[in-house]
Amino acid sequence: MRAMLAVLLAGLAAGCSPAADPARPKAILLIRHAEKSTDATETGLSPAGRKRADALPALFAITADRPDPFPTPDFVFATKASAKSNRPVETVTPLAKALQLNVTAEYPNADYPKLAKELLSDPRYAGKTVLVCWHQGNLPELATAFGASGVPGNWRDEVFDRAWVVTFDARGKARPLADRPQALMPGDGKE
């Protein structure tokens, strides 16, 4: 018993706690897939959507117009392709190629809770930046699953130019959601 108490006290002195939160990612960037076709039978991106997908690497570069770029992703996730849509994978493929990363697309759209659990519990994401491209219908719930507060109730259907950023404090608690413009294409929203 004395030895166990000594180990516990040594751990506390070293800044460890038996109930410490697991390490969290540095940031999780949530984006919606790029523009879709007006033809409901199309599962891919529209020409405008392909342009946005090709422009995504610019989110992470310092420029005169973007002095505070988004943190560069270490991992890229997208919704698993379905019979109705492959847009999330198509959106992030040019970015992943530019960053020499793989796109992980194993979770179907409704399985966002499993994705959140993986990103918040797997130590390989600790201190890393993760970009997630999902369908807008589940983005508010996904942001909430990461513990973010201040999440809008919905992601409007016509909006393709935003990025939601979830960051965590030193205790692993999510900070309020940051909603930032992508500002990649003519007509994109501003702050």
Side-chain angles (χ1 to χ4, degrees), residues 31-37 44-45 49 52 56 79 85-92 132-137 139 155 157 159-161 182:
I31 64 170
R32 179 190 183 180
H33 61 73
E35 287 84 346
K36 58 185 177 179
S37 172
L45 298 174
R52 180 175 302 282
L56 275 178
T79 315
S85 176
N86 192 35
R87 290 183 285 276
V89 171
E90 289 179 17
T91 298
V92 295
V132 177
C133 183
W134 218 254
H135 294 284
Q136 99 271 8
L139 278 167
W155 187 299
D157 190 50
V159 174
F160 297 91
D161 64 341
Q182 290 182 4

Side-chain angles (χ1 to χ4, degrees), residues 67-86:
D68 181 25
F70 290 87
T72 303
D74 299 295
F75 297 92
V76 177
F77 283 79
T79 315
K80 182 177 184 178
S82 70
K84 293 183 178 183
S85 176
N86 192 35

